Amino acid sequence: MAHKKQGGAMALMGQGGTDNDDIGQSDHGRQVRTASSIGLVVALLFSGFNLFLANQQLLGLIELASCAALVAPAVWLSRSARWVSQAETLLLLAAVIIFSALVVVGGVEGTGMFWVYTLPFLAFFLKGQTLGWVFSLAFLLWVGLYFVLLAPLLGSAYAYSAVVQTQFLLSLGFYTLVAAAFNQVRSRYEAQLQKRHAQAEAAYQAKSRFLAAASHDLRQPAHALGMFVSRLSDMPKDPQMQTLVAGVEASVRALQDMLDSFFDYSRLDAPSMQVKPQDFAVEQVFEQLRTGFAEMAAAKGLRLHIRPSQRWLHSDPVLLHRVLLNLLNNAVQHTPRGSILVACRPGRNPEQARIEVWDSGIGIAAEHHERVFDEFFQVDNRERDRTKGLGLGLSIVQRSCRLLGHPLTMWSKPGSGTRFSVTLPQVSRPSTLTPANPCETNPVTELAGVRVFLIEDDALGSQALQGLLESWGCQVAVADSAAAACELLERGESPDFVLSDYRLRGGRDGVETIALLRQATARADLPACVISGDTDVVVRDRVLAAGLVLLQKPVRAGKLRSVIRRVVLMGSD
């Protein structure tokens, strides 16, 4: 069969061959369905035509019966990939019966033989090279035997001259050779196409593996650098040193932002990227945005107002947070003065809500409204100033909204600012909610005296985090593996908080290490947090499934401090 004969080419695709093989079978199924539908229409037209002609009613009845018993079922069976092979057989059997009748009856003035030349092409198209030869040669042999042995015995058969019979057999043999040659060329090109596709797929997988490794490896030093600079910023310094440190801090922030944008963009194409919608309070996402952007907006003298909302939405909160983070970052970056507003408003119907991000920034000219969503396009950055980012933020927003199925609209006018609007499903607020912990309303205390287990196998990152935590007044015990952390417990150390990297030496990851420490201390609610340079959603899902907070490297010092305060005060994460 045609889709079976492609199996050799599909096998070249290795691990990625399953999806492509499914695609190939689906395409072949559509081809068989198309061929069956065309055959059904043509056969019905000719059967109706022959039924109204004198001496052609038998041929019309044979064509009509073949349509009802063979061609119509072939059309129906070809809708399912598992029955495509049976549909091919039925269609080819109908062709053999109808064309045999044309040879015997002759059709109108013997012209029915002209249609028989299509049989070899149909046989090779449906059954591939080997079975195509079998069907074509078998039919050629059958017609030859009919002319020599059966036709003289059938008085009702159409009478062909010896010259016509010879010419017909020769021409049918010629068309069989042509059909085989065409099919051979088509098969060779299909094999080459599949091989190129397999190579492209392999290159794509290699790129994905490279980006995953690069993401982790590049985030490690960027994370450590951010911790060192944050600690340096808190130290006493003269005005000249303060200016220098501020420049370094701004450069580090720009580097971290570019790493986040680049790897977030590449992750959208990863096979592991999955959308996991759920019901959640939009205020949870808004609170994260307030924490992340309050300081940044204040530093530029902007008024940031994220309006509180009691609405509940249905979406992937992690991916939606990334969308709003990019929109807010874009608004802060392109608003030299004025204000920024984020609000969740009613949609066009009760089942919808709109999250809008307004700014009073420079605005975007109409001719750029489409291009701003292109990768690396920046209206006001022809010189490629890296402090203005990579130009990936809005592209990430658009592609993420497409993954989520949330319509995205933009209104903007030069000098009048910009408004982005994301429409998404709204759900009813659950009738029973977990009551908020009263400790959350208490004033945030300092971290002096908090005992922290820092589990990190990267020496530079460990050194940077230890110094930063100690500068906040924490008592830090350092380990590089689960075994080393357990040794700390054996020496009498007792943590108030565990901060662990996801990847650790010794065979246990951060999630397993925290579970081990909770078991050893008999504290199932031991506050803990995982930091990771991995961008794979599998890592994220694993951490969140364990009920832990995940901080993506490079971690902002302010975000880390906020998390430690919150989980230690609450007594759980």
Side-chain angles (χ1 to χ4, degrees), residues 517-525:
L517 292 176
R518 286 176 168 176
Q519 182 180 8
T521 58
R523 294 177 59 191
D525 59 348

Side-chain angles (χ1 to χ4, degrees), residues 225-403:
L225 181 60
M227 298 296 103
F228 281 126
V229 171
S230 181
R231 183 185 175 192
L232 185 62
S233 300
D234 294 334
M235 292 182 175
K237 44 192 171 295
D238 57 47
Q240 184 177 4
M241 182 61 70
Q242 188 173 359
T243 302
L244 180 61
V245 171
V248 174
E249 189 172 20
S251 298
V252 170
R253 184 179 292 273
L255 172 64
Q256 292 177 343
D257 287 341
M258 285 191 288
L259 281 175
D260 285 340
S261 295
F262 177 71
F263 289 115
D264 282 343
Y265 181 81
S266 64
R267 189 172 54 180
L268 290 175
D269 283 329
S272 59
M273 185 64 189
Q274 297 178 358
V275 176
K276 296 193 173 181
Q278 63 186 64
D279 296 347
F280 64 95
V282 68
E283 185 61 23
Q284 296 175 356
V285 177
F286 281 3
E287 183 58 36
Q288 296 177 37
L289 296 175
R290 291 189 191 98
T291 302
F293 284 92
E295 182 180 344
M296 185 186 305
K300 288 193 66 175
L302 301 174
R303 297 184 300 276
L304 174 62
H305 182 50
I306 302 179
R307 187 173 296 168
S309 175
Q310 299 300 316
R311 299 182 187 278
W312 279 66
L313 307 176
H314 184 76
S315 181
D316 185 326
V318 175
L319 201 52
L320 179 64
H321 173 260
R322 195 66 202 171
V323 167
L324 298 178
L325 188 149
N326 277 283
L327 289 177
L328 256 180
N329 187 68
N330 189 73
V332 171
Q333 186 177 76
H334 297 288
T335 304
R337 66 184 65 84
S339 60
I340 298 171
L341 170 67
V342 180
C344 184
R345 293 172 170 162
R348 293 184 177 180
N349 57 66
E351 289 77 32
Q352 290 183 335
R354 296 193 325 272
I355 297 181
E356 297 182 342
V357 179
W358 293 73
D359 67 64
S360 59
I362 58 177
I364 304 170
E367 61 267 24
H368 298 310
H369 282 191
E370 294 294 331
R371 292 203 63 196
V372 292
F373 295 103
D374 293 344
E375 298 90 342
F376 307 108
F377 177 78
Q378 293 172 297
V379 177
D380 59 344
N381 192 17
R382 294 182 180 179
E383 70 279 10
R384 302 307 298 170
D385 180 359
R386 292 307 177 199
T387 63
K388 297 180 181 179
L390 292 173
L392 287 174
L394 292 182
S395 180
I396 292 173
V397 167
Q398 186 183 61
R399 296 180 64 184
S400 298
C401 285
R402 286 175 179 170
L403 278 175

